[in-house]
Amino acid sequence: MGRRIHRMHLPIIIILVIMMMSMISCKHEYTPKPIGYFRIAFPKKAYHQMNENLPYTFKIPDYSSISRDSDYQAKPYWINIDVPSNKASIHISYKAVHGNLAKYTEESRMLAYKHAQKASAIDEKIYINRANKVYGTLYNIKGNVASPMQFYLTDSTRHFIRGALYIREIPNVDSLQPVINFLEQDVVQLVESTKWKDVK
């Protein structure tokens, strides 16, 4: 009786052994593919002097356009430098200085450091151009932030402008870093070419 039961179970045991062997032999190592991003084609760098009736001027990229700031809180001489191909804008706000320079510079610093919670680092660079009487600070904000670059410029007696680069995409530094690197050159060019002028 015992031998008969053993023989009845034999086919089941054979099937189980074959299944186990096939599972072991078919085991493949799986390596997940790294996340890839689309290659972005950037235009050639070229700049021209902004020619607007504003108390300041600087060089802007040929692939950008200027629009007046339409926000309800916008003041005179506030503009946006739009780079539609990269869904980006550099917001420029202007204020006349009347003994309140320290207030403006502190406001600019606080607005830059509002991103500190999400930023991995904030680098400050002092800018001085004595020939054109342009002084300021450039904030390079690293990490998954909405505004990766901000700055302010002043002649310390009459003029003050604040700028902020914004990219209208989900702030993912891994995918946006090539765009940030590309636009960073434009922000630096703007800062280095800034001059003050009288409004007609």
Side-chain angles (χ1 to χ4, degrees):
M1 187 76 176
R3 293 173 66 87
R4 196 173 294 169
I5 293 171
H6 180 72
R7 285 180 182 170
M8 288 176 62
H9 287 80
L10 189 61
I12 297 172
I13 294 170
I14 292 171
I15 291 169
L16 288 173
V17 169
I18 291 170
M19 287 176 62
M20 288 176 63
M21 288 179 65
S22 64
M23 288 174 65
I24 293 169
S25 63
C26 292
K27 188 178 180 183
H28 295 289
E29 290 293 325
Y30 175 73
T31 305
K33 292 183 179 179
I35 296 172
Y37 301 104
F38 291 108
R39 184 178 180 276
I40 303 169
F42 295 109
K44 184 179 178 181
K45 288 290 182 189
Y47 300 92
H48 63 274
Q49 196 73 29
M50 183 177 66
N51 187 21
E52 300 285 325
N53 189 30
L54 299 166
Y56 54 87
T57 183
F58 39 66
K59 289 182 179 180
I60 61 173
D62 289 352
Y63 42 81
S64 69
S65 60
I66 295 173
S67 62
R68 297 286 172 162
D69 195 326
S70 59
D71 188 86
Y72 75 98
Q73 293 181 320
K75 301 287 190 282
Y77 312 132
W78 289 27
I79 63 169
N80 295 320
I81 302 159
D82 301 309
V83 185
S85 59
N86 297 124
K87 297 182 180 180
S89 295
I90 304 170
H91 298 286
I92 303 291
S93 57
Y94 173 86
K95 295 178 180 179
V97 176
H98 299 291
N100 48 4
L101 180 60
K103 176 187 173 185
Y104 292 161
T105 57
E106 180 58 18
E107 283 177 352
S108 296
R109 190 190 70 81
M110 287 176 64
L111 287 168
Y113 277 87
K114 274 180 71 175
H115 300 275
Q117 288 184 340
K118 292 186 178 180
S120 57
I122 299 179
D123 297 333
E124 294 185 26
K125 183 179 179 182
I126 304 299
Y127 178 76
I128 298 173
N129 184 334
R130 291 187 177 87
N132 292 330
K133 296 181 179 178
V134 181
Y135 315 96
T137 301
L138 180 63
Y139 301 94
N140 198 325
I141 307 167
K142 303 181 185 298
N144 295 325
V145 294
S147 177
M149 292 189 77
Q150 297 190 17
F151 64 89
Y152 72 81
L153 300 171
T154 181
D155 66 349
S156 32
T157 56
R158 296 176 58 199
H159 306 287
F160 184 93
I161 62 173
R162 178 181 173 272
L165 169 65
Y166 287 95
I167 302 173
R168 294 181 301 278
E169 287 285 356
I170 296 171
N172 180 347
V173 71
D174 291 331
S175 61
L176 293 180
Q177 195 60 59
V179 176
I180 294 169
N181 292 343
F182 179 77
L183 296 173
E184 182 177 354
Q185 299 173 53
D186 300 336
V187 174
V188 171
Q189 176 66 239
L190 183 158
V191 168
E192 292 181 346
S193 62
T194 296
K195 295 179 182 178
W196 310 110
K197 64 176 190 176
D198 295 323
V199 179
K200 295 178 182 178

